[in-house]
Amino acid sequence: MKKEFVEKFKKDFPLMFQHECYFDCGDGWFDILYIMCHAIQSHINFKECPQVEVVQIKEKFGTLRFYYVGGDKFCEGVVRMAESISACICETCGNAGILRNNRGWVKTLCDEHYKNGD
């Protein structure tokens, strides 16, 4: 993920990203992650709930993985939903995509990025 996107997460959600976090996914999932972080932090701000602290964000088996500590069942549900949605969003560009076998790797890609071998 672009450095500027990583910095936006740290700036907009400082409590979630107060420790060093490992990012390893494409820019196309920025919107999914941003909306998810906003929903989680908004929930935490209005409920008595342990602060979510992000440990790692990555792609695994073609979909988003979001590893964290803290939160509650609501936060868990938001994360699982975002991870599920990532199977329909191109990891490279954010357009509609599908899980595909891309040269032996499973990735969620749109038609264009699949053809280009991204």
Side-chain angles (χ1 to χ4, degrees):
M1 185 163 282
K2 289 182 198 173
K3 183 178 179 176
E4 63 203 55
F5 287 168
V6 172
E7 292 304 315
K8 182 156 180 64
F9 283 112
K10 291 178 182 179
K11 177 182 166 282
D12 292 354
F13 308 105
L15 297 175
M16 292 180 78
F17 293 92
Q18 57 187 302
H19 302 289
E20 196 60 36
C21 173
Y22 177 74
F23 280 81
D24 189 20
C25 68
D27 296 339
W29 288 344
F30 173 81
D31 288 340
I32 298 170
L33 285 164
Y34 194 89
I35 292 166
M36 179 193 67
C37 288
H38 185 273
I40 290 170
Q41 193 59 57
S42 294
H43 171 73
I44 291 168
N45 290 346
F46 292 103
K47 297 281 186 181
E48 283 194 30
C49 173
Q51 177 62 49
V52 165
E53 295 179 30
V54 181
V55 176
Q56 183 180 46
I57 299 170
K58 68 179 188 175
E59 174 275 328
K60 186 173 182 178
F61 301 119
T63 60
L64 178 67
R65 295 295 190 274
F66 186 84
Y67 300 102
Y68 64 99
V69 296
D72 60 9
K73 291 290 186 185
F74 175 87
C75 299
E76 183 180 332
V78 172
V79 169
R80 298 299 159 246
M81 183 179 291
E83 291 176 339
S84 295
I85 290 169
S86 71
C88 302
I89 304 294
C90 178
E91 182 183 356
T92 303
C93 70
N95 289 331
I98 59 172
L99 280 168
R100 304 173 190 258
N101 184 333
N102 187 34
R103 299 181 184 156
W105 295 97
V106 178
K107 293 194 63 93
T108 302
L109 298 170
C110 64
D111 291 340
E112 180 181 342
H113 287 107
Y114 179 66
K115 289 176 190 171
N116 291 340
D118 294 345

